[in-house]
């Protein structure tokens, strides 16, 4: 059974690469041991594999149709603009991430990080996303222990 599926996958790849219609009948015609389309449609795993490749072909054809309506030069210009926009957005994210870390450090230095953390305690996904972006300071626990402005001022008044 697995050998048939490996052979079927190779046939599906060929049909996809050649942009030939992917059908159970087309696979059966090309397969060395499967002689009927019903041998494919009666098997759940083969039917799933066939459906996956049909979806891939549909997506490819839709993409190709969108690109085909544009001239080559226009397509290159659109892609260049999109690349430029992606670079701008990545730079913006980097600036915002750096700024966010600096703000959290300032909040921590003033003794307010625990309040910030409390505000986001019900939003663990947001905190995880911030950490994944690198927008959380490396050592959050130290931020909670840093002196507050009030404690520094009170110590200086006592002296």
């Amino acid at each position: 059974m697995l050998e048939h599926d490996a052979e079927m996958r190779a046939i599906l790849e060929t049909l996809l690469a050649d942009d030939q219609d992917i059908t159970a009948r087309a696979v059966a015609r090309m397969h060395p041991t499967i002689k009927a389309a019903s041998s494919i449609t009666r098997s759940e795993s083969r039917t799933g594999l066939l459906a996956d490749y049909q979806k891939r072909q549909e997506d490819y054809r839709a993409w190709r149709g969108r690109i085909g309506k544009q001239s080559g030069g226009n397509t290159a210009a659109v892609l260049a603009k999109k690349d430029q926009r992606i670079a701008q957005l990545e730079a913006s994210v980097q600036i915002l991430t750096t700024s966010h870390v600096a703000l959290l450090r300032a909040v921590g230095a003033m003794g307010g990080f625990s309040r910030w953390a409390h505000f986001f305690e019900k939003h663990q996904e947001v905190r995880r996303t911030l950490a994944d972006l690198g927008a959380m300071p490396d050592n959050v626990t130290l931020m909670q222990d840093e002196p507050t402005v009030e404690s520094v001022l009170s110590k200086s008044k006592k002296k």
Side-chain angles (χ1 to χ4, degrees):
M1 182 71 88
L2 292 175
E3 185 178 316
H4 290 296
D5 291 345
E7 182 68 31
M8 183 174 158
R9 187 176 299 275
I11 291 167
L12 289 167
E13 287 289 337
T14 300
L15 290 172
L16 186 63
D18 294 343
D19 195 25
Q20 296 179 17
D21 288 340
I22 296 176
T23 64
R25 204 169 263 158
V27 174
R29 273 195 302 268
M30 296 176 73
H31 202 283
T33 56
I34 295 176
K35 299 299 175 195
S38 61
S39 297
I40 295 169
T41 58
R42 285 183 296 190
S43 167
E44 196 173 309
S45 65
R46 290 179 186 158
T47 300
L49 188 59
L50 181 69
D52 288 345
Y53 275 85
Q54 287 172 331
K55 175 71 172 127
R56 286 175 59 186
Q57 185 172 55
E58 180 183 316
D59 292 345
Y60 167 72
R61 286 178 173 174
W63 174 82
R64 188 186 66 197
R66 285 192 305 270
I67 295 298
K69 293 178 184 173
Q70 300 176 7
S71 69
N74 189 27
T75 301
V78 168
L79 287 174
K81 275 186 178 177
K82 288 186 185 266
D83 283 345
Q84 185 179 17
R85 180 70 176 141
I86 289 169
Q88 288 172 342
L89 291 171
E90 287 174 343
S92 295
V93 166
Q94 185 61 42
I95 289 168
L96 291 171
T97 300
T98 303
S99 173
H100 191 268
V101 170
L103 286 171
L104 283 177
R105 286 191 175 134
V107 166
M110 294 172 57
F113 185 79
S114 60
R115 292 196 187 240
W116 181 91
H118 178 70
F119 179 76
F120 279 103
E121 74 184 7
K122 293 180 183 166
H123 305 285
Q124 292 299 318
E125 188 60 34
V126 172
R127 291 179 72 172
R128 240 184 323 269
T129 302
L130 289 171
D132 291 345
L133 286 171
M136 293 287 286
D138 293 333
N139 201 342
V140 171
T141 55
L142 282 180
M143 287 178 51
Q144 294 172 344
D145 298 332
E146 291 179 12
T148 65
V149 172
E150 293 82 18
S151 67
V152 171
L153 290 176
S154 67
K155 285 181 185 179
S156 65
K157 287 180 183 176
K158 289 179 183 178
K159 291 183 181 179

